[in-house]
């Protein structure tokens, strides 16, 4: 059974930091490209950052220079370090694992940036 379990979300003030984690089980983790998506209220889900099985990363312009994605293949975990958070970063953040035609999602973790 495949499980992606996100953690680390919460309430933070503007300018603050959070680190999200996504622990994967039931998949050959090192083969999968991993990504963090986010969905704000009333908006479509969008890619925040991604990391390939080989370790190459990309992120969307809105988070560039503030968010960093990384992975640990020994811990089967992908991380999203979020710095200089802004109110517009408020969203549910979802972990995604993708390999060939297979794609799995976590249940999401809420990030709220507010004073």
């Amino acid at each position: 059974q495949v499980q992606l379990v996100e953690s680390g979300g919460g309430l933070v003030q503007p300018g603050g930091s959070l680190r999200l984690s996504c622990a994967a089980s039931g998949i050959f983790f090192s083969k999968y490209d991993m990504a963090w998506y986010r969905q704000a209220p009333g908006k479509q889900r969008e890619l925040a950052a991604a990391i390939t099985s080989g370790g190459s990363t990309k992120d969307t312009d809105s988070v560039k220079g503030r968010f960093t994605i990384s992975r640990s293949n020994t811990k089967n975990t992908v991380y999203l370090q979020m710095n200089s958070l802004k109110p517009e970063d408020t969203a549910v953040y979802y972990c995604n694992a993708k390999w060939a035609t297979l794609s799995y999602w976590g249940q999401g973790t809420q990030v709220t940036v507010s004073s």
Side-chain angles (χ1 to χ4, degrees), residues 9-86:
L11 173 64
V12 63
Q13 292 187 341
S17 298
L18 284 174
R19 188 173 86 149
L20 306 183
S21 299
C22 171
S25 59
I27 61 173
F28 198 145
F29 182 80
S30 63
K31 287 184 175 287
Y32 280 72
D33 296 337
M34 302 298 296
W36 287 97
Y37 286 75
R38 64 184 186 179
Q39 188 166 18
K43 295 189 176 181
Q44 289 190 328
R45 192 172 297 189
E46 65 171 3
L47 176 70
I51 184 166
T52 67
S53 58
S56 298
T57 63
K58 70 173 181 180
D59 44 46
T60 191
D61 286 346
S62 61
V63 308
K64 202 173 293 287
R66 300 187 298 121
F67 291 10
T68 303
I69 189 170
S70 61
R71 66 189 294 159
S72 169
N73 289 340
T74 58
K75 296 182 178 180
N76 288 1
T77 300
V78 62
Y79 306 96
L80 186 67
Q81 178 66 44
M82 306 186 295
N83 299 327
S84 302
L85 283 160
K86 304 175 181 180

Side-chain angles (χ1 to χ4, degrees), residues 2 4 26-29 31-35 37 96-105:
V2 177
L4 299 177
I27 61 173
F28 198 145
F29 182 80
K31 287 184 175 287
Y32 280 72
D33 296 337
M34 302 298 296
Y37 286 75
N96 174 259
K98 186 175 181 180
W99 177 57
T101 60
L102 299 174
S103 181
Y104 302 103
W105 292 91

